[in-house]
Structure formats: structure tokens, C-alpha cells
Amino acid sequence: MKKKKVAVFASGNGTNALQLIKHFKNHSHIQIGLIVTNHSKAGVIKIAEENNIPFAVINKSLLANNSYMTALLNLYDVDFIVLAGFLLLVPPFLVKLFDQKMINIHPALLPKHGGKGMFGMQVHQAVINDGDPETGITIHYVNELYDKGKIIFQATCKVEKKDNAEKIAKKVQELEHEHLPAWSEKLIMQMRYL
């Protein structure tokens, strides 16, 4: 049985992409086959190069181009997509093409602190501003709206009085690194037997 190929979409440093690459490095059924980013200077490109994983740099118009994106994902035989800090809205044709085969990780407990513009430190600052006693991560399926897809899994961490946005970011990132690879594997393995 051939391996399931995963494309990781990321806009930034790629710390979650790196965890996924490590997790699936010697996996018998799954491999990271492609990195897609919308920033030509994103740290995730260096991670792709260091791990000999092909990467594609796209922009908003290429992402919205059905024939281009379909050809790109077909070229690398992509079966599943993980959005790991990808900041562009996924177009409807891609949502449809990867229905129940595309997940996102969000650095807060959805439905709170989600939507357009809610990423990185903005999310953690919103948690502090609202006086939330806890925050965490949400892994969810991707639909046509920012952070509105069906929730698959959430993990929480406490927000202490003394925590600033950077401290919360560190706690949340630990949860991301712990849970995203395992949940990606679980969902892809389930898909293998459908």
C-alpha cells in the first residue's frame, strides 16, 4: 500500500511543520510530501530544504487558481492537508476537494478568539484582555470560513495572572507540538480504511 502524502501549509517559522516532519520521518504509511507557503522568506522554507521536502511559494491569486492548485497537489500526490499557521483563507474549491481531509490548528479555544485577523500574538492578547482563566488549542476541519469548521479536538492550559502574551504563546505552542502530529496521524490512518 502506498504511503499517504501530506501537504503542510504554513506562513511563518514552521515550528509545527517541523514537528510533523519529525513525527512522520520513518512512518510506514504516511509522509510529508510538500510544504506550501505564501511568504518567500518564511522560516518554513529553510525547514523544507533541510529535510529535503519540496516546497511551493504561492500568493493569494495562485491559491485562488483552481487549475494551478489542483495541478500542484496532484503533482505531489497529496492526500491530506494540514494548515499549520497558514494565514490565507482557503478557497471553496480546495475545501470541497479535500472535504474531511484538511485540518487547521488554531492557538485558542474556538469558537472564542477565532476569525479573520486572529492569529499569533493577537489571539493571546485577546485571551488576556477577556480575562480568560484558560486557553489552548483547537484542531478542526477546514471549511470556507476562518476557524468555523467542525471541531475535532481541544486541549487546554491555564492562564496565570502574571502571564503575558509571550508566556501564553509558549504554553500554547507546547500543546500544538504535542497534539498536532498525533491527531494528524490518527485522522490520516482512519482515512486509509474508509
Side-chain angles (χ1 to χ4, degrees), residues 32-182:
I32 304 298
L34 177 67
I35 301 287
V36 177
T37 184
N38 60 311
H39 283 298
S40 58
K41 293 186 169 53
V44 75
I45 292 173
K46 190 168 189 277
I47 288 168
E49 289 172 337
E50 286 169 353
N51 290 277
N52 296 314
I53 293 170
F55 66 90
V57 179
I58 61 165
N59 56 27
K60 225 177 198 167
S61 62
L62 283 176
L63 180 64
N65 184 324
N66 191 332
S67 54
Y68 175 84
M69 287 306 294
T70 303
L72 175 68
L73 297 170
N74 284 342
L75 178 66
Y76 292 98
D77 213 10
V78 172
D79 299 292
F80 195 89
I81 296 173
V82 179
L83 306 185
F86 187 66
L87 302 182
L88 297 181
L89 187 64
V90 176
F93 75 85
L94 211 50
V95 171
K96 198 171 175 190
L97 196 60
F98 285 86
D99 182 37
Q100 306 287 295
K101 294 176 185 171
M102 180 168 21
I103 60 171
N104 179 48
I105 186 152
H106 185 73
L109 299 171
L110 294 175
K112 284 190 92 175
H113 312 304
K116 188 170 170 57
M118 290 305 278
F119 61 90
M121 290 302 167
Q122 287 94 308
V123 175
H124 308 312
Q125 196 55 55
V127 166
I128 292 168
N129 294 349
D130 281 7
D132 294 353
E134 63 177 16
T135 187
I137 59 163
T138 303
I139 296 171
H140 65 91
Y141 286 115
V142 175
N143 68 7
E144 290 90 350
L145 302 167
Y146 279 114
D147 306 324
K148 295 287 190 203
K150 183 181 167 213
I151 291 171
I152 301 163
F153 171 80
Q154 291 185 310
T156 63
C157 57
K158 284 194 167 20
V159 177
E160 308 290 348
K161 289 267 188 281
K162 62 183 187 311
D163 284 350
N164 58 17
E166 286 76 16
K167 274 201 177 131
I168 294 171
K170 198 169 183 316
K171 290 182 190 180
V172 167
Q173 191 174 64
E174 281 171 18
L175 290 176
E176 289 175 344
H177 293 176
E178 180 186 349
H179 295 289
L180 183 61

Side-chain angles (χ1 to χ4, degrees), residues 18-38:
L18 181 59
Q19 296 307 313
L20 289 161
I21 291 164
K22 284 180 182 171
H23 186 82
F24 293 118
K25 198 170 184 75
N26 298 307
H27 199 284
S28 54
H29 298 304
I30 302 166
Q31 74 179 88
I32 304 298
L34 177 67
I35 301 287
V36 177
T37 184
N38 60 311

